[in-house]
Amino acid sequence: EVQLVESGGGLVKPGGSLRLSCAVSGFTFSSYSMNWVRQAPGKGLEWISFISSSGKYIFYADSVKGRFTISRDNAKNSLYLQMNSLRAEDTAVYFCASPTITMIQGVTDYWGQGTLVTVSS
Amino acid sequence: EIVLTQSPGTLSLSPGERATLSCRASQGVSSSYLGWYQQKPGQAPRLLIYGASSRATGVPDRFSGSGSGTYFTLTISRLEPEDFAVYYCHQYGTSPRTFGQGTKVEIK
């Protein structure tokens, strides 16, 4: 069974930092790129970052560029998002998500359950 | 950045009716990299369609996707009670990846 489990969310003051983690099991993590997507309360989905399978290629949304850093540890089957200089507008549920993967049962992608980050004084 | 504009914002329909959701892109999107998601409150998004027209595993065949270039559609042939949710289109061929703002399908 594929599982993506995020952790590390919580309440942080403006200007503060948090590190999110996403523990992956059930597929060969090192073979696939990964993404972080967030959703502000009552709002739509916003893609924020991509990392290739090796970590060589990384992309960010303009809204987080220079403040957030995506990384991965393929030996630990884990994805990370270091978030610095947090702002109120970063308040959201953060999801880690796989690309579409072809498994025996078919093609789909996988998402974690999300972790809530609240930026407030 | 490719802006995806979904219409309508809200679709009020009854169970058994047909739903047609639209997604218009500000520039061409490779069909290979256009997807549709369903999201219910408190849940992660669920992939319905990838590559513009391929159903993801486990997705009922009442869901279908079509389109190319700058105009894509998601059709639900006959709405079931569990289909009332928010739907997002998503392009993942060009960075930054983008989502549409969503279409809410609500019970009339």
Side-chain angles (χ1 to χ4, degrees):
Chain A
E1 181 192 6
V2 173
Q3 284 194 312
L4 283 72
V5 180
E6 299 102 337
S7 59
L11 175 64
V12 62
K13 289 181 169 52
S17 298
L18 275 180
R19 189 193 194 209
L20 305 184
S21 299
C22 173
V24 176
S25 59
F27 64 86
T28 308
F29 178 72
S30 59
S31 296
Y32 295 96
S33 62
M34 293 292 293
N35 294 275
W36 286 100
V37 176
R38 69 183 180 184
Q39 187 168 36
K43 303 297 184 183
L45 301 170
E46 180 188 14
W47 171 85
I48 58 172
S49 190
F50 163 97
I51 187 168
S52 64
S53 57
S54 67
K56 181 177 180 181
Y57 300 102
I58 286 174
F59 302 102
Y60 298 100
D62 285 347
S63 58
V64 305
K65 199 175 295 181
R67 300 187 299 122
F68 290 12
T69 302
I70 191 172
S71 62
R72 64 191 298 160
D73 185 334
N74 286 343
K76 294 183 177 179
N77 288 346
S78 292
L79 176 72
Y80 305 102
L81 187 68
Q82 177 67 44
M83 304 186 296
N84 298 331
S85 303
L86 283 161
R87 307 165 179 167
E89 55 265 35
D90 295 319
T91 294
V93 174
Y94 286 73
F95 297 99
C96 57
S98 78
T100 52
I101 295 175
T102 301
M103 306 283 267
I104 293 175
Q105 58 268 45
V107 178
T108 191
D109 65 2
Y110 297 95
W111 293 60
Q113 82 287 354
T115 187
L116 177 62
V117 172
T118 303
V119 184
S120 174
S121 55
Chain B
E1 171 176 323
I2 297 177
V3 176
L4 300 178
T5 302
Q6 292 185 239
S7 60
T10 302
L11 201 49
S12 298
L13 295 168
S14 300
E17 291 194 290
R18 181 184 186 91
T20 302
L21 289 66
S22 298
C23 176
R24 191 176 298 275
S26 61
Q27 55 187 280
V29 173
S30 167
S31 296
S32 299
Y33 303 108
L34 191 287
W36 288 93
Y37 286 87
Q38 176 193 70
Q39 190 180 33
K40 297 179 180 178
Q43 296 184 14
R46 173 197 180 195
L47 180 67
L48 299 176
I49 301 290
Y50 65 96
S53 60
S54 298
R55 268 187 300 277
T57 187
V59 175
D61 60 7
R62 63 181 180 273
F63 291 91
S64 62
S66 63
S68 64
T70 61
Y71 189 72
F72 300 87
T73 60
L74 174 71
T75 301
I76 312 171
S77 59
R78 287 178 56 86
L79 282 163
E80 296 288 340
E82 61 268 28
D83 299 337
F84 292 92
V86 179
Y87 293 83
Y88 297 93
C89 58
H90 174 48
Q91 70 81 19
Y92 46 101
T94 302
S95 188
R97 301 175 177 211
T98 47
F99 288 89
Q101 82 281 14
T103 290
K104 182 179 182 180
V105 178
E106 65 176 23
I107 300 176
K108 186 174 182 180

mmCIF file with all atom_site columns, all heavy atoms in Angstrom, chain B residues 88-102:
data_model
loop_
_atom_site.group_PDB
_atom_site.id
_atom_site.type_symbol
_atom_site.label_atom_id
_atom_site.label_alt_id
_atom_site.label_comp_id
_atom_site.label_asym_id
_atom_site.label_entity_id
_atom_site.label_seq_id
_atom_site.pdbx_PDB_ins_code
_atom_site.Cartn_x
_atom_site.Cartn_y
_atom_site.Cartn_z
_atom_site.occupancy
_atom_site.B_iso_or_equiv
_atom_site.pdbx_formal_charge
_atom_site.auth_seq_id
_atom_site.auth_comp_id
_atom_site.auth_asym_id
_atom_site.auth_atom_id
_atom_site.pdbx_PDB_model_num
ATOM 1   N N   . TYR B 1 88  ? -10.739 20.474 -10.108 1.00 0.00 ? 88  TYR B N   1
ATOM 2   C CA  . TYR B 1 88  ? -9.654  21.345 -10.551 1.00 0.00 ? 88  TYR B CA  1
ATOM 3   C C   . TYR B 1 88  ? -8.986  20.763 -11.785 1.00 0.00 ? 88  TYR B C   1
ATOM 4   O O   . TYR B 1 88  ? -8.724  19.554 -11.831 1.00 0.00 ? 88  TYR B O   1
ATOM 5   C CB  . TYR B 1 88  ? -8.570  21.474 -9.470  1.00 0.00 ? 88  TYR B CB  1
ATOM 6   C CG  . TYR B 1 88  ? -9.014  22.119 -8.185  1.00 0.00 ? 88  TYR B CG  1
ATOM 7   C CD1 . TYR B 1 88  ? -9.460  21.352 -7.115  1.00 0.00 ? 88  TYR B CD1 1
ATOM 8   C CD2 . TYR B 1 88  ? -8.969  23.504 -8.019  1.00 0.00 ? 88  TYR B CD2 1
ATOM 9   C CE1 . TYR B 1 88  ? -9.858  21.950 -5.928  1.00 0.00 ? 88  TYR B CE1 1
ATOM 10  C CE2 . TYR B 1 88  ? -9.356  24.103 -6.829  1.00 0.00 ? 88  TYR B CE2 1
ATOM 11  C CZ  . TYR B 1 88  ? -9.811  23.320 -5.795  1.00 0.00 ? 88  TYR B CZ  1
ATOM 12  O OH  . TYR B 1 88  ? -10.189 23.911 -4.613  1.00 0.00 ? 88  TYR B OH  1
ATOM 13  N N   . CYS B 1 89  ? -8.685  21.618 -12.751 1.00 0.00 ? 89  CYS B N   1
ATOM 14  C CA  . CYS B 1 89  ? -7.772  21.210 -13.818 1.00 0.00 ? 89  CYS B CA  1
ATOM 15  C C   . CYS B 1 89  ? -6.354  21.615 -13.412 1.00 0.00 ? 89  CYS B C   1
ATOM 16  O O   . CYS B 1 89  ? -6.164  22.520 -12.577 1.00 0.00 ? 89  CYS B O   1
ATOM 17  C CB  . CYS B 1 89  ? -8.167  21.788 -15.169 1.00 0.00 ? 89  CYS B CB  1
ATOM 18  S SG  . CYS B 1 89  ? -8.272  23.589 -15.270 1.00 0.00 ? 89  CYS B SG  1
ATOM 19  N N   . HIS B 1 90  ? -5.370  20.949 -13.991 1.00 0.00 ? 90  HIS B N   1
ATOM 20  C CA  . HIS B 1 90  ? -3.982  21.129 -13.574 1.00 0.00 ? 90  HIS B CA  1
ATOM 21  C C   . HIS B 1 90  ? -3.080  20.869 -14.760 1.00 0.00 ? 90  HIS B C   1
ATOM 22  O O   . HIS B 1 90  ? -3.221  19.846 -15.438 1.00 0.00 ? 90  HIS B O   1
ATOM 23  C CB  . HIS B 1 90  ? -3.662  20.144 -12.453 1.00 0.00 ? 90  HIS B CB  1
ATOM 24  C CG  . HIS B 1 90  ? -2.227  20.099 -12.011 1.00 0.00 ? 90  HIS B CG  1
ATOM 25  N ND1 . HIS B 1 90  ? -1.501  21.236 -11.727 1.00 0.00 ? 90  HIS B ND1 1
ATOM 26  C CD2 . HIS B 1 90  ? -1.395  19.047 -11.802 1.00 0.00 ? 90  HIS B CD2 1
ATOM 27  C CE1 . HIS B 1 90  ? -0.286  20.886 -11.362 1.00 0.00 ? 90  HIS B CE1 1
ATOM 28  N NE2 . HIS B 1 90  ? -0.187  19.571 -11.394 1.00 0.00 ? 90  HIS B NE2 1
ATOM 29  N N   . GLN B 1 91  ? -2.173  21.803 -15.040 1.00 0.00 ? 91  GLN B N   1
ATOM 30  C CA  . GLN B 1 91  ? -1.191  21.551 -16.099 1.00 0.00 ? 91  GLN B CA  1
ATOM 31  C C   . GLN B 1 91  ? 0.154   21.328 -15.435 1.00 0.00 ? 91  GLN B C   1
ATOM 32  O O   . GLN B 1 91  ? 0.570   22.080 -14.548 1.00 0.00 ? 91  GLN B O   1
ATOM 33  C CB  . GLN B 1 91  ? -1.166  22.669 -17.141 1.00 0.00 ? 91  GLN B CB  1
ATOM 34  C CG  . GLN B 1 91  ? -0.604  24.004 -16.697 1.00 0.00 ? 91  GLN B CG  1
ATOM 35  C CD  . GLN B 1 91  ? 0.926   24.052 -16.725 1.00 0.00 ? 91  GLN B CD  1
ATOM 36  O OE1 . GLN B 1 91  ? 1.578   23.245 -17.390 1.00 0.00 ? 91  GLN B OE1 1
ATOM 37  N NE2 . GLN B 1 91  ? 1.498   24.997 -15.985 1.00 0.00 ? 91  GLN B NE2 1
ATOM 38  N N   . TYR B 1 92  ? 0.838   20.266 -15.889 1.00 0.00 ? 92  TYR B N   1
ATOM 39  C CA  . TYR B 1 92  ? 2.110   19.907 -15.268 1.00 0.00 ? 92  TYR B CA  1
ATOM 40  C C   . TYR B 1 92  ? 3.197   19.705 -16.322 1.00 0.00 ? 92  TYR B C   1
ATOM 41  O O   . TYR B 1 92  ? 4.168   18.982 -16.099 1.00 0.00 ? 92  TYR B O   1
ATOM 42  C CB  . TYR B 1 92  ? 1.949   18.664 -14.384 1.00 0.00 ? 92  TYR B CB  1
ATOM 43  C CG  . TYR B 1 92  ? 1.177   17.516 -14.991 1.00 0.00 ? 92  TYR B CG  1
ATOM 44  C CD1 . TYR B 1 92  ? 1.847   16.412 -15.521 1.00 0.00 ? 92  TYR B CD1 1
ATOM 45  C CD2 . TYR B 1 92  ? -0.217  17.517 -15.006 1.00 0.00 ? 92  TYR B CD2 1
ATOM 46  C CE1 . TYR B 1 92  ? 1.147   15.347 -16.054 1.00 0.00 ? 92  TYR B CE1 1
ATOM 47  C CE2 . TYR B 1 92  ? -0.921  16.465 -15.544 1.00 0.00 ? 92  TYR B CE2 1
ATOM 48  C CZ  . TYR B 1 92  ? -0.250  15.376 -16.064 1.00 0.00 ? 92  TYR B CZ  1
ATOM 49  O OH  . TYR B 1 92  ? -0.957  14.318 -16.600 1.00 0.00 ? 92  TYR B OH  1
ATOM 50  N N   . GLY B 1 93  ? 3.026   20.379 -17.445 1.00 0.00 ? 93  GLY B N   1
ATOM 51  C CA  . GLY B 1 93  ? 4.024   20.265 -18.503 1.00 0.00 ? 93  GLY B CA  1
ATOM 52  C C   . GLY B 1 93  ? 5.002   21.411 -18.536 1.00 0.00 ? 93  GLY B C   1
ATOM 53  O O   . GLY B 1 93  ? 6.087   21.293 -19.107 1.00 0.00 ? 93  GLY B O   1
ATOM 54  N N   . THR B 1 94  ? 4.620   22.526 -17.931 1.00 0.00 ? 94  THR B N   1
ATOM 55  C CA  . THR B 1 94  ? 5.434   23.738 -17.962 1.00 0.00 ? 94  THR B CA  1
ATOM 56  C C   . THR B 1 94  ? 5.560   24.289 -16.553 1.00 0.00 ? 94  THR B C   1
ATOM 57  O O   . THR B 1 94  ? 4.571   24.359 -15.823 1.00 0.00 ? 94  THR B O   1
ATOM 58  C CB  . THR B 1 94  ? 4.775   24.807 -18.862 1.00 0.00 ? 94  THR B CB  1
ATOM 59  O OG1 . THR B 1 94  ? 4.612   24.267 -20.181 1.00 0.00 ? 94  THR B OG1 1
ATOM 60  C CG2 . THR B 1 94  ? 5.623   26.060 -18.931 1.00 0.00 ? 94  THR B CG2 1
ATOM 61  N N   . SER B 1 95  ? 6.774   24.679 -16.175 1.00 0.00 ? 95  SER B N   1
ATOM 62  C CA  . SER B 1 95  ? 6.963   25.292 -14.866 1.00 0.00 ? 95  SER B CA  1
ATOM 63  C C   . SER B 1 95  ? 6.790   26.800 -14.980 1.00 0.00 ? 95  SER B C   1
ATOM 64  O O   . SER B 1 95  ? 7.326   27.403 -15.916 1.00 0.00 ? 95  SER B O   1
ATOM 65  C CB  . SER B 1 95  ? 8.352   24.957 -14.320 1.00 0.00 ? 95  SER B CB  1
ATOM 66  O OG  . SER B 1 95  ? 8.481   25.397 -12.983 1.00 0.00 ? 95  SER B OG  1
ATOM 67  N N   . PRO B 1 96  ? 6.051   27.439 -14.062 1.00 0.00 ? 96  PRO B N   1
ATOM 68  C CA  . PRO B 1 96  ? 5.433   26.810 -12.896 1.00 0.00 ? 96  PRO B CA  1
ATOM 69  C C   . PRO B 1 96  ? 4.184   26.025 -13.241 1.00 0.00 ? 96  PRO B C   1
ATOM 70  O O   . PRO B 1 96  ? 3.392   26.440 -14.094 1.00 0.00 ? 96  PRO B O   1
ATOM 71  C CB  . PRO B 1 96  ? 5.097   28.012 -12.004 1.00 0.00 ? 96  PRO B CB  1
ATOM 72  C CG  . PRO B 1 96  ? 4.846   29.126 -12.966 1.00 0.00 ? 96  PRO B CG  1
ATOM 73  C CD  . PRO B 1 96  ? 5.820   28.906 -14.088 1.00 0.00 ? 96  PRO B CD  1
ATOM 74  N N   . ARG B 1 97  ? 4.043   24.860 -12.592 1.00 0.00 ? 97  ARG B N   1
ATOM 75  C CA  . ARG B 1 97  ? 2.805   24.116 -12.748 1.00 0.00 ? 97  ARG B CA  1
ATOM 76  C C   . ARG B 1 97  ? 1.679   24.957 -12.171 1.00 0.00 ? 97  ARG B C   1
ATOM 77  O O   . ARG B 1 97  ? 1.888   25.722 -11.226 1.00 0.00 ? 97  ARG B O   1
ATOM 78  C CB  . ARG B 1 97  ? 2.914   22.790 -12.024 1.00 0.00 ? 97  ARG B CB  1
ATOM 79  C CG  . ARG B 1 97  ? 4.065   21.952 -12.536 1.00 0.00 ? 97  ARG B CG  1
ATOM 80  C CD  . ARG B 1 97  ? 4.275   20.692 -11.768 1.00 0.00 ? 97  ARG B CD  1
ATOM 81  N NE  . ARG B 1 97  ? 5.353   19.913 -12.388 1.00 0.00 ? 97  ARG B NE  1
ATOM 82  C CZ  . ARG B 1 97  ? 5.419   18.593 -12.387 1.00 0.00 ? 97  ARG B CZ  1
ATOM 83  N NH1 . ARG B 1 97  ? 4.479   17.890 -11.777 1.00 0.00 ? 97  ARG B NH1 1
ATOM 84  N NH2 . ARG B 1 97  ? 6.417   17.978 -12.976 1.00 0.00 ? 97  ARG B NH2 1
ATOM 85  N N   . THR B 1 98  ? 0.483   24.799 -12.735 1.00 0.00 ? 98  THR B N   1
ATOM 86  C CA  . THR B 1 98  ? -0.622  25.623 -12.278 1.00 0.00 ? 98  THR B CA  1
ATOM 87  C C   . THR B 1 98  ? -1.911  24.810 -12.195 1.00 0.00 ? 98  THR B C   1
ATOM 88  O O   . THR B 1 98  ? -2.084  23.815 -12.901 1.00 0.00 ? 98  THR B O   1
ATOM 89  C CB  . THR B 1 98  ? -0.853  26.835 -13.193 1.00 0.00 ? 98  THR B CB  1
ATOM 90  O OG1 . THR B 1 98  ? -0.853  26.404 -14.568 1.00 0.00 ? 98  THR B OG1 1
ATOM 91  C CG2 . THR B 1 98  ? 0.237   27.882 -13.015 1.00 0.00 ? 98  THR B CG2 1
ATOM 92  N N   . PHE B 1 99  ? -2.799  25.288 -11.318 1.00 0.00 ? 99  PHE B N   1
ATOM 93  C CA  . PHE B 1 99  ? -4.138  24.739 -11.184 1.00 0.00 ? 99  PHE B CA  1
ATOM 94  C C   . PHE B 1 99  ? -5.151  25.803 -11.599 1.00 0.00 ? 99  PHE B C   1
ATOM 95  O O   . PHE B 1 99  ? -4.896  27.005 -11.438 1.00 0.00 ? 99  PHE B O   1
ATOM 96  C CB  . PHE B 1 99  ? -4.430  24.359 -9.729  1.00 0.00 ? 99  PHE B CB  1
ATOM 97  C CG  . PHE B 1 99  ? -3.696  23.152 -9.228  1.00 0.00 ? 99  PHE B CG  1
ATOM 98  C CD1 . PHE B 1 99  ? -2.442  23.272 -8.639  1.00 0.00 ? 99  PHE B CD1 1
ATOM 99  C CD2 . PHE B 1 99  ? -4.255  21.891 -9.326  1.00 0.00 ? 99  PHE B CD2 1
ATOM 100 C CE1 . PHE B 1 99  ? -1.765  22.157 -8.163  1.00 0.00 ? 99  PHE B CE1 1
ATOM 101 C CE2 . PHE B 1 99  ? -3.595  20.763 -8.845  1.00 0.00 ? 99  PHE B CE2 1
ATOM 102 C CZ  . PHE B 1 99  ? -2.338  20.895 -8.271  1.00 0.00 ? 99  PHE B CZ  1
ATOM 103 N N   . GLY B 1 100 ? -6.287  25.344 -12.089 1.00 0.00 ? 100 GLY B N   1
ATOM 104 C CA  . GLY B 1 100 ? -7.406  26.254 -12.231 1.00 0.00 ? 100 GLY B CA  1
ATOM 105 C C   . GLY B 1 100 ? -7.966  26.590 -10.865 1.00 0.00 ? 100 GLY B C   1
ATOM 106 O O   . GLY B 1 100 ? -7.591  25.991 -9.854  1.00 0.00 ? 100 GLY B O   1
ATOM 107 N N   . GLN B 1 101 ? -8.884  27.548 -10.840 1.00 0.00 ? 101 GLN B N   1
ATOM 108 C CA  . GLN B 1 101 ? -9.412  28.020 -9.565  1.00 0.00 ? 101 GLN B CA  1
ATOM 109 C C   . GLN B 1 101 ? -10.500 27.100 -9.000  1.00 0.00 ? 101 GLN B C   1
ATOM 110 O O   . GLN B 1 101 ? -10.922 27.270 -7.860  1.00 0.00 ? 101 GLN B O   1
ATOM 111 C CB  . GLN B 1 101 ? -9.950  29.451 -9.703  1.00 0.00 ? 101 GLN B CB  1
ATOM 112 C CG  . GLN B 1 101 ? -11.354 29.569 -10.261 1.00 0.00 ? 101 GLN B CG  1
ATOM 113 C CD  . GLN B 1 101 ? -11.440 29.431 -11.767 1.00 0.00 ? 101 GLN B CD  1
ATOM 114 O OE1 . GLN B 1 101 ? -10.504 28.988 -12.439 1.00 0.00 ? 101 GLN B OE1 1
ATOM 115 N NE2 . GLN B 1 101 ? -12.578 29.827 -12.327 1.00 0.00 ? 101 GLN B NE2 1
ATOM 116 N N   . GLY B 1 102 ? -10.932 26.147 -9.811  1.00 0.00 ? 102 GLY B N   1
ATOM 117 C CA  . GLY B 1 102 ? -11.905 25.165 -9.338  1.00 0.00 ? 102 GLY B CA  1
ATOM 118 C C   . GLY B 1 102 ? -13.319 25.433 -9.805  1.00 0.00 ? 102 GLY B C   1
ATOM 119 O O   . GLY B 1 102 ? -13.725 26.583 -10.001 1.00 0.00 ? 102 GLY B O   1
#
